[in-house]
């Protein structure tokens, strides 16, 4: 069924390794398309500058487990030793209203969502090269070299898994931010028409 502006509601998954510019792209796409962004639940510690209920719902391990048992999460996964999950209700509300809901989640989560909701449209953001990714991870200045190397190894594994797992409908290379944002918007617009 087609809703707003003759376009159907759509669940969009955006994934990519840390340091690829995924959050910047997601925010820009959200603004341009008037889409909603799902707020994940996580057990990781809040970072400075983050706000509970805005960046994430920060919860205890006990609370997270309860949400899993109650079936309140559309998907969940362990990422870097912490749990992250997508609350189901907001996704269902946005789709019922024919809107676009963006999920910024990892590959394990994307695979679960695609298995449960095959109509979801999944995009994976790649860096122009592995060297660029390492440079970007270092330039964020957030972590020490040991953590950076761990994230780099995890990123390479994630990119390989994304390529082979069959969950992604499209791959976008972020060599130029504006171009990447534009490409993702065009892909989503196309998927809404189908
Ligand atoms: P960060 O802790 O840096 O905010 O996020 C770490 C990773 O967790 C990112 O790759 C992000 O995509 C992933 N992530 C964030 N929220 C969710 C979620 O709800 N589900 C899953 N599966 N991954 C998530």
């Amino acid at each position: 069924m087609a809703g707003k502006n003759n376009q159907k509601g759509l669940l969009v998954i955006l994934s990519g390794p840390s340091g690829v510019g995924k959050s910047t792209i997601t925010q820009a796409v959200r603004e341009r398309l008037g889409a909603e962004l799902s707020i994940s639940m996580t057990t990781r510690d809040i970072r400075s500058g983050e706000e509970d209920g805005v960046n994430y719902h920060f919860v205890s391990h006990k609370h997270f487990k309860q949400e899993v048992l109650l079936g309140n999460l559309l998907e969940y996964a362990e990422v870097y030793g912490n749990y992250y999950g997508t609350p189901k209700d907001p996704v269902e509300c946005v789709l019922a209203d024919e809107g676009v809901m963006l999920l910024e989640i990892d590959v394990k989560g994307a695979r679960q969502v695609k298995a449960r909701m095959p109509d979801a449209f999944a995009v994976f953001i790649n860096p122009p090269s592995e060297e660029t990714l390492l440079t970007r991870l270092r330039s964020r200045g957030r972590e020490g070299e040991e953590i950076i190397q761990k994230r780099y190894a995890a990123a390479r594994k994630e990119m390989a898994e994304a390529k082979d797992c069959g969950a992604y409908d499209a791959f976008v290379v972020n060599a130029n931010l504006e171009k990447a944002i534009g490409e993702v918007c065009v892909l989503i617009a196309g998927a809404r028409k189908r």
Side-chain angles (χ1 to χ4, degrees):
M1 197 171 70
K4 289 170 193 160
N5 309 318
N6 243 358
Q7 292 184 313
K8 60 175 182 162
L10 188 69
L11 182 58
V12 177
I13 299 165
L14 289 168
S15 312
S18 55
V20 81
K22 190 177 31 170
S23 302
T24 314
I25 293 173
T26 304
Q27 285 301 342
V29 169
R30 186 180 70 78
E31 280 167 27
R32 277 189 213 177
L33 301 182
E36 299 290 331
L37 175 60
S38 159
I39 302 172
S40 297
M41 194 170 280
T42 184
T43 59
R44 88 146 156 75
D45 290 338
I46 190 163
R47 292 181 189 137
S48 78
E50 285 183 331
E51 215 180 303
D52 187 26
V54 176
N55 305 90
Y56 285 102
H57 298 292
F58 295 94
V59 300
S60 65
H61 274 85
K62 194 174 162 208
H63 184 117
F64 195 94
K65 260 191 205 157
Q66 260 168 358
E67 294 293 322
V68 172
L69 290 174
L70 288 168
N72 289 343
L73 300 179
L74 178 61
E75 60 73 36
Y76 69 96
E78 192 184 346
V79 187
Y80 306 123
N82 289 300
Y83 285 93
Y84 295 79
T86 304
K88 200 163 39 178
D89 279 359
V91 171
E92 285 175 354
C93 282
V94 172
L95 294 182
D97 196 33
E98 309 280 357
V100 174
M101 181 61 130
L102 304 176
L103 307 185
E104 197 187 316
I105 61 176
D106 81 328
V107 177
K108 284 174 274 180
R111 294 176 76 165
Q112 292 172 52
V113 174
K114 280 292 270 193
R116 288 177 78 160
M117 302 173 80
D119 283 347
F121 185 71
V123 182
F124 191 87
I125 320 272
N126 272 311
S129 68
E130 291 185 352
E131 294 72 48
T132 329
L133 187 67
L134 187 57
T135 310
R136 284 188 197 166
L137 282 172
R138 286 193 173 127
S139 71
R140 294 200 300 188
R142 282 214 299 244
E143 297 106 358
E145 186 62 24
E146 197 187 327
I147 301 274
I148 288 169
Q149 287 299 336
K150 265 197 193 155
R151 291 207 166 216
Y152 180 53
R156 291 179 62 188
K157 215 171 131 199
E158 193 171 18
M159 290 188 285
E161 191 187 345
K163 193 166 148 238
D164 298 333
C165 73
Y168 290 90
D169 299 285
F171 292 83
V172 168
V173 175
N174 181 17
N176 172 292
L177 192 57
E178 267 311 307
K179 205 166 154 255
I181 293 165
E183 273 179 43
V184 175
C185 287
V186 168
L187 284 166
I188 294 173
R192 287 192 88 186
K193 283 190 198 132
R194 252 181 262 142

Short mmCIF file of all heavy atoms in Angstrom, two decimals, residues 41-83:
data_model
loop_
_atom_site.label_atom_id
_atom_site.label_comp_id
_atom_site.label_asym_id
_atom_site.label_seq_id
_atom_site.Cartn_x
_atom_site.Cartn_y
_atom_site.Cartn_z
N MET A 41 18.60 0.29 22.22
CA MET A 41 18.83 0.08 23.63
C MET A 41 20.24 -0.50 23.76
O MET A 41 20.63 -1.33 22.93
CB MET A 41 17.80 -0.94 24.11
CG MET A 41 17.68 -1.05 25.58
SD MET A 41 16.24 -2.07 25.95
CE MET A 41 14.92 -0.91 25.73
N THR A 42 21.00 -0.05 24.73
CA THR A 42 22.35 -0.61 24.88
C THR A 42 22.75 -0.74 26.33
O THR A 42 22.28 0.01 27.19
CB THR A 42 23.41 0.23 24.13
OG1 THR A 42 24.67 -0.42 24.24
CG2 THR A 42 23.54 1.63 24.70
N THR A 43 23.65 -1.70 26.59
CA THR A 43 24.19 -1.88 27.94
C THR A 43 25.54 -1.16 28.08
O THR A 43 26.15 -1.21 29.13
CB THR A 43 24.41 -3.37 28.25
OG1 THR A 43 25.32 -3.91 27.28
CG2 THR A 43 23.11 -4.15 28.21
N ARG A 44 26.02 -0.51 26.99
CA ARG A 44 27.33 0.14 27.13
C ARG A 44 27.21 1.44 27.92
O ARG A 44 26.14 2.01 28.02
CB ARG A 44 27.97 0.35 25.75
CG ARG A 44 27.64 1.63 25.04
CD ARG A 44 28.84 2.13 24.23
NE ARG A 44 28.46 2.99 23.12
CZ ARG A 44 28.06 4.25 23.23
NH1 ARG A 44 27.88 4.81 24.43
NH2 ARG A 44 27.78 4.95 22.15
N ASP A 45 28.35 1.89 28.47
CA ASP A 45 28.35 3.12 29.26
C ASP A 45 28.08 4.32 28.37
O ASP A 45 28.48 4.34 27.20
CB ASP A 45 29.72 3.31 29.94
CG ASP A 45 29.96 2.29 31.04
OD1 ASP A 45 28.96 1.73 31.55
OD2 ASP A 45 31.13 2.05 31.36
N ILE A 46 27.43 5.30 28.95
CA ILE A 46 27.15 6.54 28.23
C ILE A 46 28.46 7.31 28.04
O ILE A 46 29.30 7.34 28.94
CB ILE A 46 26.07 7.36 29.00
CG1 ILE A 46 25.57 8.54 28.17
CG2 ILE A 46 26.55 7.80 30.37
CD1 ILE A 46 24.25 9.11 28.71
N ARG A 47 28.68 7.88 26.83
CA ARG A 47 29.90 8.67 26.58
C ARG A 47 29.58 10.14 26.81
O ARG A 47 28.42 10.55 26.72
CB ARG A 47 30.36 8.50 25.12
CG ARG A 47 30.87 7.12 24.79
CD ARG A 47 31.32 7.07 23.32
NE ARG A 47 31.62 5.71 22.91
CZ ARG A 47 31.26 5.18 21.74
NH1 ARG A 47 30.59 5.90 20.86
NH2 ARG A 47 31.57 3.95 21.43
N SER A 48 30.62 10.94 27.04
CA SER A 48 30.36 12.35 27.27
C SER A 48 29.77 12.95 25.98
O SER A 48 30.19 12.60 24.87
CB SER A 48 31.62 13.09 27.70
OG SER A 48 32.43 13.33 26.59
N GLY A 49 28.78 13.79 26.16
CA GLY A 49 28.11 14.40 25.01
C GLY A 49 26.87 13.61 24.60
O GLY A 49 26.05 14.11 23.83
N GLU A 50 26.72 12.40 25.11
CA GLU A 50 25.55 11.60 24.77
C GLU A 50 24.45 11.83 25.80
O GLU A 50 24.72 12.21 26.94
CB GLU A 50 25.90 10.11 24.74
CG GLU A 50 26.69 9.72 23.52
CD GLU A 50 27.00 8.23 23.44
OE1 GLU A 50 27.10 7.58 24.50
OE2 GLU A 50 27.16 7.73 22.33
N GLU A 51 23.20 11.58 25.36
CA GLU A 51 22.06 11.79 26.24
C GLU A 51 21.17 10.54 26.23
O GLU A 51 20.89 10.01 25.14
CB GLU A 51 21.26 12.98 25.69
CG GLU A 51 20.63 13.84 26.75
CD GLU A 51 19.87 14.99 26.11
OE1 GLU A 51 20.50 15.77 25.34
OE2 GLU A 51 18.67 15.09 26.36
N ASP A 52 20.76 10.13 27.41
CA ASP A 52 19.89 8.95 27.50
C ASP A 52 18.55 9.27 26.84
O ASP A 52 17.97 10.32 27.05
CB ASP A 52 19.67 8.60 28.99
CG ASP A 52 18.92 7.29 29.16
OD1 ASP A 52 18.98 6.43 28.25
OD2 ASP A 52 18.25 7.13 30.20
N GLY A 53 18.10 8.35 26.00
CA GLY A 53 16.81 8.55 25.31
C GLY A 53 16.96 9.31 24.01
O GLY A 53 16.01 9.46 23.25
N VAL A 54 18.17 9.86 23.76
CA VAL A 54 18.42 10.59 22.51
C VAL A 54 19.35 9.76 21.62
O VAL A 54 18.99 9.36 20.52
CB VAL A 54 19.01 11.99 22.78
CG1 VAL A 54 19.36 12.70 21.46
CG2 VAL A 54 18.04 12.83 23.59
N ASN A 55 20.55 9.48 22.13
CA ASN A 55 21.50 8.67 21.35
C ASN A 55 21.16 7.19 21.48
O ASN A 55 21.19 6.45 20.51
CB ASN A 55 22.93 8.92 21.84
CG ASN A 55 23.27 10.39 21.80
OD1 ASN A 55 23.05 11.09 22.77
ND2 ASN A 55 23.78 10.85 20.68
N TYR A 56 20.88 6.80 22.70
CA TYR A 56 20.51 5.41 23.02
C TYR A 56 19.61 5.44 24.24
O TYR A 56 19.56 6.44 24.96
CB TYR A 56 21.76 4.59 23.41
CG TYR A 56 22.66 4.18 22.28
CD1 TYR A 56 23.85 4.86 22.03
CD2 TYR A 56 22.34 3.09 21.47
CE1 TYR A 56 24.71 4.47 21.00
CE2 TYR A 56 23.19 2.69 20.45
CZ TYR A 56 24.36 3.38 20.21
OH TYR A 56 25.19 2.99 19.19
N HIS A 57 18.96 4.32 24.49
CA HIS A 57 18.36 4.08 25.79
C HIS A 57 19.42 3.28 26.54
O HIS A 57 19.70 2.13 26.18
CB HIS A 57 17.07 3.26 25.67
CG HIS A 57 16.00 3.95 24.87
ND1 HIS A 57 15.36 5.09 25.32
CD2 HIS A 57 15.50 3.68 23.65
CE1 HIS A 57 14.48 5.47 24.42
NE2 HIS A 57 14.55 4.64 23.38
N PHE A 58 20.06 3.89 27.52
CA PHE A 58 21.12 3.21 28.26
C PHE A 58 20.50 2.42 29.41
O PHE A 58 19.84 3.01 30.27
CB PHE A 58 22.13 4.24 28.78
CG PHE A 58 22.87 4.94 27.68
CD1 PHE A 58 22.43 6.17 27.17
CD2 PHE A 58 24.01 4.37 27.11
CE1 PHE A 58 23.10 6.81 26.14
CE2 PHE A 58 24.68 5.01 26.08
CZ PHE A 58 24.23 6.22 25.59
N VAL A 59 20.69 1.10 29.38
CA VAL A 59 20.05 0.25 30.39
C VAL A 59 21.05 -0.74 30.98
O VAL A 59 22.14 -0.96 30.43
CB VAL A 59 18.86 -0.55 29.78
CG1 VAL A 59 17.79 0.39 29.23
CG2 VAL A 59 19.33 -1.52 28.69
N SER A 60 20.66 -1.36 32.09
CA SER A 60 21.51 -2.38 32.74
C SER A 60 21.39 -3.70 31.96
O SER A 60 20.46 -3.89 31.17
CB SER A 60 21.04 -2.60 34.17
OG SER A 60 19.73 -3.14 34.14
N HIS A 61 22.34 -4.62 32.24
CA HIS A 61 22.26 -5.95 31.62
C HIS A 61 20.96 -6.65 31.99
O HIS A 61 20.33 -7.31 31.16
CB HIS A 61 23.45 -6.80 32.06
CG HIS A 61 24.67 -6.58 31.22
ND1 HIS A 61 25.57 -5.57 31.46
CD2 HIS A 61 25.12 -7.23 30.11
CE1 HIS A 61 26.51 -5.61 30.54
NE2 HIS A 61 26.27 -6.59 29.71
N LYS A 62 20.54 -6.46 33.24
CA LYS A 62 19.31 -7.11 33.73
C LYS A 62 18.10 -6.61 32.93
O LYS A 62 17.27 -7.40 32.48
CB LYS A 62 19.15 -6.79 35.22
CG LYS A 62 18.15 -7.66 35.90
CD LYS A 62 18.13 -7.40 37.40
CE LYS A 62 16.84 -7.95 37.98
NZ LYS A 62 16.40 -7.23 39.16
N HIS A 63 18.03 -5.31 32.78
CA HIS A 63 16.91 -4.70 32.04
C HIS A 63 16.92 -5.19 30.58
O HIS A 63 15.87 -5.56 30.03
CB HIS A 63 17.05 -3.18 32.09
CG HIS A 63 15.92 -2.44 31.44
ND1 HIS A 63 15.09 -1.60 32.13
CD2 HIS A 63 15.48 -2.43 30.16
CE1 HIS A 63 14.18 -1.10 31.30
NE2 HIS A 63 14.40 -1.59 30.10
N PHE A 64 18.12 -5.24 30.00
CA PHE A 64 18.23 -5.65 28.59
C PHE A 64 17.71 -7.09 28.43
O PHE A 64 16.93 -7.39 27.52
CB PHE A 64 19.68 -5.54 28.11
CG PHE A 64 19.83 -5.60 26.61
CD1 PHE A 64 19.88 -4.44 25.86
CD2 PHE A 64 19.88 -6.82 25.95
CE1 PHE A 64 20.00 -4.49 24.47
CE2 PHE A 64 20.00 -6.89 24.57
CZ PHE A 64 20.07 -5.71 23.82
N LYS A 65 18.14 -7.96 29.36
CA LYS A 65 17.72 -9.38 29.30
C LYS A 65 16.21 -9.50 29.37
O LYS A 65 15.60 -10.30 28.68
CB LYS A 65 18.33 -10.14 30.49
CG LYS A 65 19.56 -10.93 30.11
CD LYS A 65 19.95 -11.85 31.25
CE LYS A 65 21.42 -12.17 31.18
NZ LYS A 65 21.96 -12.58 32.47
N GLN A 66 15.61 -8.67 30.24
CA GLN A 66 14.16 -8.69 30.40
C GLN A 66 13.47 -8.31 29.08
O GLN A 66 12.50 -8.95 28.68
CB GLN A 66 13.74 -7.68 31.47
CG GLN A 66 13.46 -8.33 32.79
CD GLN A 66 13.34 -7.31 33.89
OE1 GLN A 66 13.51 -6.10 33.67
NE2 GLN A 66 13.08 -7.78 35.09
N GLU A 67 14.00 -7.28 28.44
CA GLU A 67 13.41 -6.84 27.17
C GLU A 67 13.48 -7.95 26.12
O GLU A 67 12.56 -8.15 25.34
CB GLU A 67 14.13 -5.59 26.64
CG GLU A 67 13.97 -4.36 27.51
CD GLU A 67 12.54 -3.82 27.53
OE1 GLU A 67 11.87 -3.85 26.50
OE2 GLU A 67 12.11 -3.39 28.62
N VAL A 68 14.61 -8.69 26.14
CA VAL A 68 14.77 -9.81 25.20
C VAL A 68 13.71 -10.87 25.50
O VAL A 68 13.00 -11.35 24.60
CB VAL A 68 16.18 -10.43 25.30
CG1 VAL A 68 16.28 -11.70 24.47
CG2 VAL A 68 17.24 -9.42 24.84
N LEU A 69 13.59 -11.22 26.79
CA LEU A 69 12.64 -12.27 27.19
C LEU A 69 11.19 -11.88 26.88
O LEU A 69 10.38 -12.72 26.52
CB LEU A 69 12.78 -12.58 28.69
CG LEU A 69 14.07 -13.31 29.06
CD1 LEU A 69 14.20 -13.45 30.57
CD2 LEU A 69 14.14 -14.69 28.40
N LEU A 70 10.90 -10.60 27.01
CA LEU A 70 9.54 -10.12 26.74
C LEU A 70 9.26 -10.03 25.24
O LEU A 70 8.14 -9.75 24.83
CB LEU A 70 9.32 -8.74 27.40
CG LEU A 70 9.21 -8.73 28.92
CD1 LEU A 70 9.29 -7.31 29.45
CD2 LEU A 70 7.91 -9.39 29.37
N GLY A 71 10.30 -10.24 24.44
CA GLY A 71 10.12 -10.17 22.98
C GLY A 71 9.95 -8.74 22.49
O GLY A 71 9.34 -8.49 21.45
N ASN A 72 10.50 -7.79 23.24
CA ASN A 72 10.32 -6.38 22.87
C ASN A 72 11.35 -5.87 21.87
O ASN A 72 11.28 -4.71 21.45
CB ASN A 72 10.37 -5.49 24.12
CG ASN A 72 9.14 -5.66 24.97
OD1 ASN A 72 8.13 -6.19 24.49
ND2 ASN A 72 9.20 -5.24 26.22
N LEU A 73 12.34 -6.70 21.53
CA LEU A 73 13.37 -6.24 20.60
C LEU A 73 13.23 -6.93 19.24
O LEU A 73 13.00 -8.13 19.16
CB LEU A 73 14.77 -6.51 21.18
CG LEU A 73 15.07 -5.84 22.52
CD1 LEU A 73 16.48 -6.20 22.99
CD2 LEU A 73 14.92 -4.33 22.42
N LEU A 74 13.35 -6.15 18.20
CA LEU A 74 13.25 -6.69 16.83
C LEU A 74 14.49 -7.52 16.52
O LEU A 74 14.43 -8.52 15.82
CB LEU A 74 13.14 -5.50 15.85
CG LEU A 74 13.08 -5.79 14.37
CD1 LEU A 74 11.85 -6.63 14.04
CD2 LEU A 74 13.03 -4.48 13.59
N GLU A 75 15.62 -7.08 17.05
CA GLU A 75 16.89 -7.80 16.90
C GLU A 75 17.80 -7.34 18.02
O GLU A 75 17.58 -6.27 18.59
CB GLU A 75 17.56 -7.53 15.55
CG GLU A 75 17.89 -6.07 15.25
CD GLU A 75 19.07 -5.49 16.02
OE1 GLU A 75 20.04 -6.22 16.24
OE2 GLU A 75 19.02 -4.32 16.41
N TYR A 76 18.82 -8.12 18.31
CA TYR A 76 19.85 -7.64 19.24
C TYR A 76 21.14 -8.37 18.96
O TYR A 76 21.14 -9.46 18.37
CB TYR A 76 19.42 -7.78 20.71
CG TYR A 76 19.34 -9.20 21.20
CD1 TYR A 76 20.42 -9.76 21.89
CD2 TYR A 76 18.22 -9.98 20.99
CE1 TYR A 76 20.36 -11.07 22.36
CE2 TYR A 76 18.16 -11.28 21.44
CZ TYR A 76 19.23 -11.82 22.13
OH TYR A 76 19.17 -13.11 22.58
N ALA A 77 22.23 -7.78 19.38
CA ALA A 77 23.54 -8.38 19.14
C ALA A 77 24.54 -7.86 20.15
O ALA A 77 24.34 -6.80 20.76
CB ALA A 77 24.01 -8.04 17.73
N GLU A 78 25.62 -8.63 20.31
CA GLU A 78 26.70 -8.19 21.18
C GLU A 78 27.74 -7.54 20.27
O GLU A 78 28.17 -8.13 19.28
CB GLU A 78 27.30 -9.38 21.91
CG GLU A 78 28.22 -8.96 23.02
CD GLU A 78 28.90 -10.14 23.70
OE1 GLU A 78 28.47 -11.28 23.50
OE2 GLU A 78 29.89 -9.87 24.39
N VAL A 79 28.07 -6.29 20.55
CA VAL A 79 29.07 -5.57 19.76
C VAL A 79 30.12 -5.03 20.71
O VAL A 79 29.78 -4.31 21.66
CB VAL A 79 28.43 -4.38 18.97
CG1 VAL A 79 29.43 -3.74 18.01
CG2 VAL A 79 27.18 -4.79 18.21
N TYR A 80 31.38 -5.37 20.48
CA TYR A 80 32.47 -4.93 21.35
C TYR A 80 32.16 -5.16 22.84
O TYR A 80 32.35 -4.27 23.68
CB TYR A 80 32.81 -3.45 21.14
CG TYR A 80 33.10 -3.06 19.71
CD1 TYR A 80 32.35 -2.07 19.08
CD2 TYR A 80 34.13 -3.69 18.99
CE1 TYR A 80 32.62 -1.71 17.76
CE2 TYR A 80 34.38 -3.34 17.68
CZ TYR A 80 33.63 -2.36 17.07
OH TYR A 80 33.88 -2.01 15.78
N GLY A 81 31.59 -6.33 23.18
CA GLY A 81 31.36 -6.68 24.58
C GLY A 81 30.11 -6.08 25.21
O GLY A 81 29.85 -6.31 26.39
N ASN A 82 29.36 -5.30 24.46
CA ASN A 82 28.11 -4.76 25.00
C ASN A 82 26.94 -5.19 24.13
O ASN A 82 27.13 -5.54 22.96
CB ASN A 82 28.17 -3.22 25.02
CG ASN A 82 29.13 -2.71 26.06
OD1 ASN A 82 28.98 -2.98 27.24
ND2 ASN A 82 30.14 -2.00 25.61
N TYR A 83 25.75 -5.16 24.75
CA TYR A 83 24.55 -5.53 23.99
C TYR A 83 23.87 -4.30 23.42
O TYR A 83 23.81 -3.26 24.05
CB TYR A 83 23.58 -6.30 24.88
CG TYR A 83 24.06 -7.71 25.13
CD1 TYR A 83 24.82 -8.03 26.24
CD2 TYR A 83 23.77 -8.71 24.21
CE1 TYR A 83 25.29 -9.31 26.44
CE2 TYR A 83 24.23 -10.01 24.40
CZ TYR A 83 24.99 -10.30 25.51
OH TYR A 83 25.46 -11.57 25.70
#
